[in-house]
Every structure is written in structure tokens, then in C-alpha cells.
Amino acid sequence: MVFNQTEKQERSYLQQIITRLKQIISHTDMSVKKHADTLAEYKDYLWNNKDIDPHEIRSMRESILNHFAIGESVIDKRRRLAQIVDIPYFGRIDFQEKSENRPIIPVYIGIHTFHDTESRTTVIYDWRAPISSMFYDYELGEASYQSPSGEIKGDISLKRQYRIRAGKMEFMIESALTVHDDILQKELSANADDKMKNIVATIQREQNRIIRNEEARTLIIQGVAGSGKTSIALHRIAYLLYAFQSKIYSKDILIISPNKVFADYISNVLPELGEETVPETSMEQILSEVLNHKYKYFSFFEQVNELLTKPTPDFIERIEYKSSFDFIASLDRFILYIENHYFRAEDVKLTKHITVPAEFIEEQFHRFNRYPMRQRFEAMTDYILDMMKVQYAFTVTTAERNFLKKEIKRMFAGNNDLQVYKDFFAWMGKPELFKMRKNRILEYADIAPLAYLHIALEGGTKNYVKHLLVDEMQDYSPIQYKVMQKLFPCRKTVLGDTSQSVNPYGSSTADMIQRALVTGEVMKLCKSYRSTYEITDFAQKIRTNTDLEPVARHGKKPQILQFNNEKEELSAIKKLIVTHQASAYKSLGIVCKTESQAYEMAEKLQIPDIHFLSNQSSAFVQGIVITSAHMAKGLEFNEVIIPQVDDKNYHSEIDRSMLYVAATRAMHRLTLTYSGTKHTPFI
């Protein structure tokens, strides 16, 4: 007989589980209070009895530490139970092992495991548990999963999905086919939230393969627009934290995000999955830290903005060359040249009677070649003085030691990073490829190679990071990946979409990243879940991606509205905003080509409920947002308006990229507007 056969039985069972969870939470609260009271008593006793025996003090302290540890464990258990009380589970499979007399086990799947100590049964399985993988990978019939003891084979006789909110079952779906698709369509048709949410209930088979990949040292995820690649990458982090408990913790992971807004947008996914948030940073922060914050430089945003507004052929040439593998090869050859030509040894008169010969110093420079060049000076000084001590039997003073080290350092012509970098272009015979802007500001394309040189000369590895997650992979150049590889010699998950590059002159494909990191397994996500079929089809005309497979969810065709002048266009956009406000949609993105255009549009619209999202913003706000295509990348909106799509505003290849990014932000409705006689040739 099937356990909880009918929907009525399932609803009753759900309430039983919730009641039991609340009971345990209540008991847990009492336990926490008991431990807190005991700790307070111990502390008071120690405070009021200063003359007690040292052995008793030691015993009391051990008890305090023990109670504290138990209390922390109980609090953690309570936190996890509180997370699932509103939505205990979302799926179920009935599984029977292919062994004699094995019963059919109903496996309920949720965010966390719930093991009821009273009944001694696992009531709910964590979605990351080995047995739960079958929910994502199989339909009815033969199935298997990898347990710690090996492969477990069997049969799935039932598969269900539930939509539970605030402890109430909204609906239950049972199917012999792909249950996911029904739930998925319902979820996709819903409104966008103010932040990215977990998608454990709708993870697809190809997504599950990526999440649970434990083998790849570097996993490169090429995902089309709307494929859920960022969400999948975060779920992968949650899975790795579960699968490798006690080996890797949240603090050991680092996410490289494109901007603060995006970091905020994804910030609640891991906590929803029951994990702590992980440290986040940006490429610019990393590079600036390597260079000890010595230099002023153009940000990536400023580089893109210049390419959109006033690109020059020589600026584009500099970016393109510094994003090439030829450039990296030349840089590596120059580093070898530095090794062989930048150190000029000289005799050092250490004392009145002792001179250290130049030949001996030169010999030590090459002896310590396993060290980065600037790190050798310390080791060289110590070794030379040890040899002098053995030969001449004298004690070296601190002043003499410091003098020798200073003299050795002076012999090296590569102590200034920027000068060495300038030397590199002169050495290549291409000094024109290095250009500083006014006020000694470096171009963005120069920061990564300068950091690469610095690491070669100075060293630097961030071994505390055990897993690196890199989002928007296409916007980083090969030299930036080379820097990442040197700084973070750990496991990596790298994800993005080549079609969504906002910097076509300095971007990277999956193959280029694989080459730069010298390793990496490439996995593709081809299904686009975000937009309706009509919006996806429209975006494909802007930029064709042959890998993309749209999910068959239909809606209104995108509209292209023409107006005689800017005033009419502005008036129409205001009407579209009013229409949106009267609709059931929660979010509207007005996505302009540049930030300055977005700012001007916000000023002209003069609507109080509009939130202007700039490169200085730090948080994503739900509602009506006006921003640039660059800042909108990675975000999604129920409805999108793209203004000023005339042939003068959108005409170059980078303009095409921006238009594609803007169009693919829309989930349900897309409207483009322009004034004049011609719209962009891209639509």
C-alpha cells in the first residue's frame, strides 16, 4: 500500500510534520535557555568564589566550554528546523532497493534533513543527500544513486512535487513523466522577486549534473541567457559545503562578482539553502590589493563607458592586444629576461677587512631561483652572512646585515613595478601600447598585467581560499585569469555567457578560459528559462546563439514603438509605466545603453517610484528600476522597456551586445521605443 496515497492524506501528513517540528523547536528553545542559565550560574560561581581550588577552576572552565559547545550545536539545530517549518519539503519519491525483502521507502525531500530522534527515522532528506539525487535525475522505473558504500540500484514507483507556502499545501502534482516541468512552468510564470531565490524544487537534470560534479578541479559553465547559471553555481557551492563537511567551510569560499548590486541580488540564495553567506569581492579589488593600492586606474565600468561613448582605434587596439595570448607569452618572456638581466652584482665592502665578491653574490641570486626575485634578497643576505661567519669566524652586527641587504636590493633594477612595466613595452618595441591618462591614471587593461608582473617579482598566493567562484566569466581577459590562477591555486567554478559580453574587445570564451587556466571541464547550460518563447526569439534576432533552447512558455510578442520626437517617446514611456503599475507585475526595468542616458531618462521622467541603479549603487531595489545594460546584466524583471533604440544610438558591435543584454532581462513583457525614422539595424 502506498504511504499517503491521496492528496487529503498528504495534507494531513504535512500538518503532522509541522506540529512535530514546532514541538522540537519548543524543546530546543527550552534546552538553549537551560544551557544559558547553567553558564550564567558557573560564571557567577567563579566570580563570587575567588579563592577556590585551581583544580576546581579548571574543571569549571571545562564544563563552561562544554556547555557552550553543546549550546551552539542546539542553536544551529534550531536554526535549521526554523528554516523548514514553513516549507518542510517540496518533493517525494518512493524507492525500493533491488535486494530481497527491501521495503518501499517514501523519501520526502527538503532544504534540510529532519531526523526524528523519537521515531528514529529520517522524515525529510536534504536535497543534497545522495538518495535525493534520484528526484532530479530519474522518472518512474529503474534508478540508482551513489552512496558512501557504492552504487545503490532500485526502482522509483512514485514521484510527487508539492507547492507549500507558510505551512499550507497549495497544490500537489503527480506524474509518470517529468514532474518538474509542470512545477517549473508555474514558477516561471510567477512574478520576479526582489532578489534571486533558491530553485531546489525545479532543478533540472542537466543543472543537477553541474551542481553535484565533485571531480572537476575547474568547472567552466557556459550558460545561455536565462539558463539559471548563477543560481546553479550558488547551489553548487551549497552542495560542496554539504558533501565536504569539515573539509571546507563558507569562509573558505570566495565569489568574484561584477558589482555590488549583483552581489546584493544573489545574497540570500545561500542562507535560503541553509548555508552561511560567503565572502565576495571584485576583480578590481583583487588587483588593487595585489598592487598594495598604489595606483589610480580606470574601472571596468569606465572602460566600457568610454567604448560606448567615444571609442578610438588606438584605445581599442590597446585593449585587444592586452587581452591576447601573444601578450601573455611576451610578458612571460620578459619575466625571464628580467631574471637574466636585471640583477647586476657588485662587490660589497662589508667591513674594513671583508669584501663580499660580486661573483659570489651573483651565484646566490641564481641559487635561490625558487623564490620570486624580490624575495631572494632576505635569503641571499642570510646565506652570505652564514658563509662569511664560517670562513672568517666573526659576528655580524644588525647594522652590517641591514647594509648588505640594502646593497643587494640596490643591485636589482626591478624594484619599481610601474617602471618595469614601462620597460616591457620598450623591450617589445611597442611603447605606444602603454598610455597613462591625465593625473597618472592607468587604463583598466593595464592593471592585470601589472599585477601579473608584481606576482612574478614579489610572489603572493591566497591559500586560505579553497574554492573560487567567478561570475560573468566572459568579461575577464586571459591575463586576468592568469592572475587568478597564480593567486588562487584552488578549485574553481567559472560561469558566464559569451553572448553577453559588455566588452567584446577584451572578453574570454570558455575555450580561452580553459587555455588560460591550463585545465577545466566545460559544461553547457542551453535551456533558457527566464523569458517567454517570443522574447527569446526576438533576442535571437539581435544576437544568434545556436546553443540556446527556449522553454515553451508563451506570452505577448515584444513591441517596437516609433515616435516622431523625443517628447512623444518620453510621454509613451510614462504611459507604459502607468500600465505596469496597474498590472500584476512587480518589477519593471527601464534599461538604457549607458548610465548617463539612464540618469537623463530618470530626470526627465520625474516619477517618484523610480529607482536609479548606478555603478555606485550597493543594493537591488524591487519595483521600477532605471539603469544601464551593463548594470542590468545578471538581473531579471517581469517587464523591460528599452528606450532610444534608434540607428544612431545602437549601431556598433558593443551596442549590439548591450541591446542583447537588455532584451534578455525580460521575463514576461518587452517593449522597445525610439524616435526618428530608423530603428537600430539589430532588430
Side-chain angles (χ1 to χ4, degrees):
M1 183 175 171
V2 178
F3 179 77
N4 292 336
Q5 189 166 2
T6 67
E7 187 169 333
K8 185 179 178 181
Q9 289 171 328
E10 286 281 23
R11 290 178 184 275
S12 174
Y13 180 71
L14 173 64
Q15 294 311 309
Q16 291 174 38
I17 296 301
I18 290 171
T19 301
R20 181 64 181 139
L21 285 168
K22 287 178 176 176
Q23 282 176 352
I24 297 171
I25 288 170
S26 178
H27 292 154
T28 305
D29 288 340
M30 291 168 61
S31 178
V32 169
K33 188 178 182 305
K34 185 180 175 184
H35 282 289
D37 291 345
T38 304
L39 283 170
E41 285 175 20
Y42 283 165
K43 287 177 180 177
D44 287 344
Y45 182 79
L46 286 171
W47 182 258
N48 296 321
N49 297 273
K50 307 274 185 180
D51 55 348
I52 58 176
D53 183 81
H55 295 292
E56 188 180 355
I57 292 174
R58 194 179 300 115
S59 177
M60 292 279 291
R61 282 177 176 166
E62 285 176 3
S63 295
I64 287 171
L65 288 170
N66 190 40
H67 272 278
F68 187 79
I70 294 170
E72 286 280 291
S73 173
V74 172
I75 289 169
D76 184 61
K77 180 183 176 183
R78 192 209 182 281
R79 178 179 62 82
R80 290 176 180 270
L81 291 174
Q83 278 189 305
I84 65 170
V85 73
D86 284 343
I87 310 174
Y89 46 81
F90 55 82
R92 169 186 168 183
I93 54 172
D94 284 8
F95 181 70
Q96 185 177 28
E97 283 187 40
K98 281 188 177 175
S99 301
E100 289 185 16
N101 303 318
R102 288 285 190 175
I104 295 173
I105 303 170
V107 180
Y108 285 84
I109 300 161
I111 294 294
H112 290 304
T113 295
F114 169 42
H115 184 81
D116 192 345
T117 52
E118 196 173 272
S119 63
R120 297 183 180 179
T121 57
T122 300
V123 180
I124 302 167
Y125 289 84
D126 193 298
W127 66 278
R128 298 166 290 186
I131 197 168
S132 302
S133 66
M134 294 188 292
F135 177 76
Y136 303 108
D137 290 339
Y138 294 98
E139 306 309 327
L140 301 188
E142 289 189 359
S144 66
Y145 68 96
Q146 289 294 332
S147 79
S149 59
E151 188 180 26
I152 306 295
K153 294 182 178 180
D155 287 286
I156 296 173
S157 56
L158 182 144
K159 188 172 180 181
R160 284 176 179 165
Q161 264 187 289
Y162 316 91
R163 168 111 182 188
I164 300 168
R165 293 292 181 272
K168 303 289 183 185
M169 189 180 293
E170 293 181 3
F171 57 78
M172 176 185 94
I173 294 176
E174 184 170 356
S175 175
L177 299 170
T178 306
V179 183
H180 299 15
D181 284 350
D182 296 324
I183 292 280
L184 182 63
Q185 288 293 350
K186 289 179 184 290
E187 293 293 334
L188 293 176
S189 300
N191 275 315
D193 290 297
D194 58 337
K195 287 188 179 178
M196 185 180 285
K197 301 291 181 184
N198 81 68
I199 57 165
V200 288
T202 59
I203 292 170
Q204 304 297 288
R205 189 173 299 170
E206 72 275 13
Q207 296 172 330
N208 194 48
R209 279 176 43 240
I210 290 172
I211 290 169
R212 294 175 186 262
N213 187 320
E214 297 177 17
E215 304 302 318
R217 184 154 181 88
T218 297
L219 186 62
I220 302 166
I221 306 167
Q222 165 59 43
V224 300
S227 60
K229 51 190 172 291
T230 302
S231 185
I232 294 306
L234 292 169
H235 284 66
R236 170 167 166 77
I237 292 298
Y239 173 78
L240 294 172
L241 287 169
Y242 175 90
F244 298 100
Q245 295 174 51
S246 76
K247 290 183 181 178
I248 184 168
Y249 301 93
S250 299
K251 63 179 176 60
D252 303 324
I253 296 167
L254 183 64
I255 297 176
I256 300 179
S257 292
N259 54 61
K260 290 177 183 176
V261 170
F262 190 68
D264 175 69
Y265 184 66
I266 66 173
S267 62
N268 68 320
V269 175
L270 284 168
E272 276 193 355
L273 295 169
E275 300 295 344
E276 294 176 32
T277 53
V278 303
E280 290 186 72
T281 188
S282 66
M283 179 56 66
E284 288 165 31
Q285 281 177 291
I286 289 170
L287 297 175
S288 190
E289 281 173 17
V290 169
L291 298 167
N292 301 311
H293 307 288
K294 281 184 181 178
Y295 307 100
K296 294 178 182 176
Y297 57 89
F298 271 15
S299 66
F300 178 58
F301 187 88
E302 288 170 320
Q303 175 179 285
V304 173
N305 194 54
E306 186 167 329
L307 289 169
L308 286 168
T309 54
K310 47 181 180 182
T312 59
D314 59 328
F315 182 45
I316 293 170
E317 184 190 2
R318 290 195 296 275
I319 295 170
E320 283 185 324
Y321 181 67
K322 291 164 190 175
S323 302
S324 69
F325 283 97
D326 283 346
F327 176 70
I328 296 170
S330 295
L331 206 49
D332 285 335
R333 286 196 297 273
F334 182 65
I335 290 166
L336 189 61
Y337 177 84
I338 295 171
E339 172 84 33
N340 294 320
H341 295 88
Y342 268 50
F343 190 78
R344 292 280 183 261
E346 298 171 9
D347 293 346
V348 177
K349 194 171 177 64
L350 192 61
T351 69
K352 190 176 179 181
H353 303 291
I354 299 172
T355 297
V356 184
E359 295 82 4
F360 187 64
I361 294 173
E362 179 88 33
E363 196 180 298
Q364 306 325 308
F365 182 77
H366 297 293
R367 175 192 292 275
F368 292 97
N369 61 2
R370 66 186 183 278
Y371 291 93
M373 286 171 245
R374 291 181 197 152
Q375 283 190 17
R376 298 178 198 180
F377 309 145
E378 192 82 32
M380 287 168 65
T381 301
D382 288 342
Y383 183 82
I384 290 167
L385 291 177
D386 283 345
M387 292 297 101
M388 294 293 108
K389 197 173 182 180
V390 170
Q391 189 168 349
Y392 299 105
F394 79 107
T395 304
V396 179
T397 66
T398 302
E400 287 164 343
R401 186 189 183 281
N402 291 341
F403 171 72
L404 179 59
K405 185 184 172 184
K406 186 180 175 182
E407 287 296 294
I408 290 172
K409 186 179 178 181
R410 186 181 55 79
M411 297 172 197
F412 185 62
N415 291 311
N416 183 298
D417 289 336
L418 190 56
Q419 187 55 56
V420 175
Y421 190 51
K422 288 178 181 175
D423 291 352
F424 164 62
F425 291 99
W427 174 81
M428 279 201 302
K430 297 179 179 179
E432 72 280 0
L433 290 177
F434 177 75
K435 182 180 178 180
M436 289 191 83
R437 302 300 181 92
K438 288 180 182 177
N439 301 320
R440 292 181 60 78
I441 293 176
L442 290 165
E443 291 184 340
Y444 177 75
D446 287 313
I447 301 299
L450 188 57
Y452 187 77
L453 261 179
H454 178 88
I455 295 165
L457 296 168
E458 194 81 45
T461 301
K462 302 190 185 292
N463 286 313
Y464 63 86
V465 176
K466 293 182 181 177
H467 199 103
L468 185 70
L469 176 64
V470 183
D471 206 349
E472 302 295 348
M473 68 182 191
Q474 70 280 357
D475 290 334
Y476 303 116
S477 63
I479 187 67
Q480 288 175 319
Y481 282 104
K482 285 290 185 183
V483 172
M484 284 187 230
Q485 187 72 338
K486 286 188 178 292
L487 288 176
F488 308 103
C490 58
R491 291 181 178 272
K492 297 175 185 69
T493 300
V494 185
L495 62 137
D497 177 17
T498 306
S499 297
Q500 294 184 66
S501 173
V502 295
N503 179 19
Y505 310 112
S507 60
S508 295
T509 63
D511 290 343
M512 290 167 72
I513 295 165
Q514 204 173 19
R515 182 179 169 188
L517 297 177
V518 200
T519 182
E521 180 182 341
V522 178
M523 297 186 79
K524 289 186 176 183
L525 288 171
C526 299
K527 281 189 181 177
S528 179
Y529 300 100
R530 177 185 296 135
S531 307
T532 62
Y533 179 88
E534 288 74 16
I535 293 171
T536 300
D537 187 56
F538 180 84
Q540 283 283 78
K541 292 183 176 75
I542 300 169
R543 169 155 281 160
T544 305
N545 186 341
T546 53
D547 288 335
L548 192 145
E549 302 170 25
V551 169
R553 178 172 62 86
H554 291 278
K556 285 184 68 176
K557 282 187 175 181
Q559 286 186 294
I560 304 168
L561 306 178
Q562 181 191 9
F563 302 95
N564 293 319
N565 52 57
E566 288 182 18
K567 189 177 177 182
E568 285 185 13
E569 184 180 359
L570 194 69
S571 177
I573 291 170
K574 285 181 179 178
K575 287 178 183 176
L576 287 167
I577 292 170
V578 171
T579 304
H580 164 81
Q581 289 170 325
S583 74
Y585 294 137
K586 291 181 181 177
S587 63
L588 166 65
I590 302 170
V591 186
C592 301
K593 188 178 88 169
T594 67
E595 186 166 296
S596 60
Q597 288 178 4
Y599 180 76
E600 285 172 22
M601 182 64 68
E603 289 291 296
K604 288 175 182 175
L605 288 170
Q606 286 297 308
I607 295 174
D609 296 332
I610 286 184
H611 305 283
F612 173 57
L613 207 63
S614 76
N615 71 308
Q616 298 301 312
S617 301
S618 56
F620 181 78
V621 183
Q622 191 177 22
I624 303 171
V625 172
I626 184 161
T627 190
S628 65
H630 187 173
M631 288 302 298
K633 195 144 59 80
L635 307 179
E636 62 183 28
F637 304 92
N638 297 138
E639 185 175 358
V640 168
I641 299 169
I642 310 175
Q644 303 166 330
V645 293
D646 55 89
D647 60 334
K648 291 178 182 173
N649 197 28
Y650 286 94
H651 58 88
S652 68
E653 272 307 299
I654 191 168
D655 294 340
R656 184 197 294 271
S657 293
M658 293 299 177
L659 190 60
Y660 180 81
V661 168
T664 53
R665 300 310 95 200
M667 294 176 66
H668 307 297
R669 190 179 290 170
L670 174 64
T671 307
L672 298 89
T673 68
Y674 72 100
S675 57
T677 56
K678 288 185 180 178
H679 58 62
T680 172
F682 305 138
I683 56 177

